[in-house]
Amino acid sequence: MYYEDHLDSNMVPSGLTSNASDGKSLTLLLKPHIDGTVNGSSIIDVKDGLNWYFKYRKISDQYSATAILETKGSSTVYNKIKSIINKDRPIQLSVTDHPIYHSHEVLAYGYEKVVLYSSVVYEHAIVNNGWGENNIMISRDYIRGCAYINEK
């Protein structure tokens, strides 16, 4: 609900974000358009579901979603992550072959680069793992794709 709370209060109607629904109403609305008929979803499914939602809400003239899917550790994906986060926007990530999360979607809201003796040692995204935990570090080596919202 970041966009609703911080960027555009009209993105999600109040009935879908009320304390009583705790966001579950929005999730139930989006689920058939993201999860589809097979179990699980991909970053492309997330993009398609968001674009469906923008049309449903009649705000597709203001917003669209884009997805990038590359090989793990791609600089294209990681640079896009940094670009979106630098605009104070969250970005959905597709994580692959991670020792804990395996293949999973997470929401990134930060990133960090560790440099030691003038060499980059470690780059990772700071995420909510989708199971209620924040400040989880995911190495860029496990990030395969991303989906994000564009403002037109």
Side-chain angles (χ1 to χ4, degrees), residues 99-116:
I100 295 171
Y101 300 106
H102 309 288
S103 291
H104 188 56
E105 306 288 319
V106 297
L107 188 69
Y109 54 87
Y111 63 90
E112 186 174 70
K113 175 170 57 173
V114 177
V115 178
L116 185 61

Side-chain angles (χ1 to χ4, degrees), residues 41-47 66-74 77-78 81 91-98 101-108 125 127-129 138-148:
S41 58
S42 72
I43 207 71
I44 303 301
D45 296 328
V46 171
K47 172 200 60 112
T66 300
I68 301 172
L69 195 56
E70 299 264 335
T71 57
K72 288 187 309 182
S74 159
V77 172
Y78 196 70
I81 293 167
I91 183 167
Q92 187 83 14
L93 305 182
S94 177
V95 174
T96 305
D97 297 326
H98 190 275
Y101 300 106
H102 309 288
S103 291
H104 188 56
E105 306 288 319
V106 297
L107 188 69
V127 308
N128 174 292
N129 67 5
I138 302 287
S139 168
R140 75 177 271 179
D141 296 337
Y142 297 109
I143 300 169
R144 181 164 183 239
C146 61
Y148 54 94

Side-chain angles (χ1 to χ4, degrees), residues 1-2 4 11-18 21-34 50 52-53 56-57:
M1 306 287 188
Y2 180 88
E4 174 73 14
M11 183 173 274
V12 183
S14 60
L16 295 177
T17 61
S18 68
S21 80
D22 193 27
K24 291 177 185 168
S25 297
L26 178 61
T27 301
L28 291 173
L29 176 67
L30 288 172
K31 186 176 181 192
H33 304 282
I34 292 177
L50 287 171
W52 171 85
Y53 177 77
Y56 167 80
R57 288 280 298 128

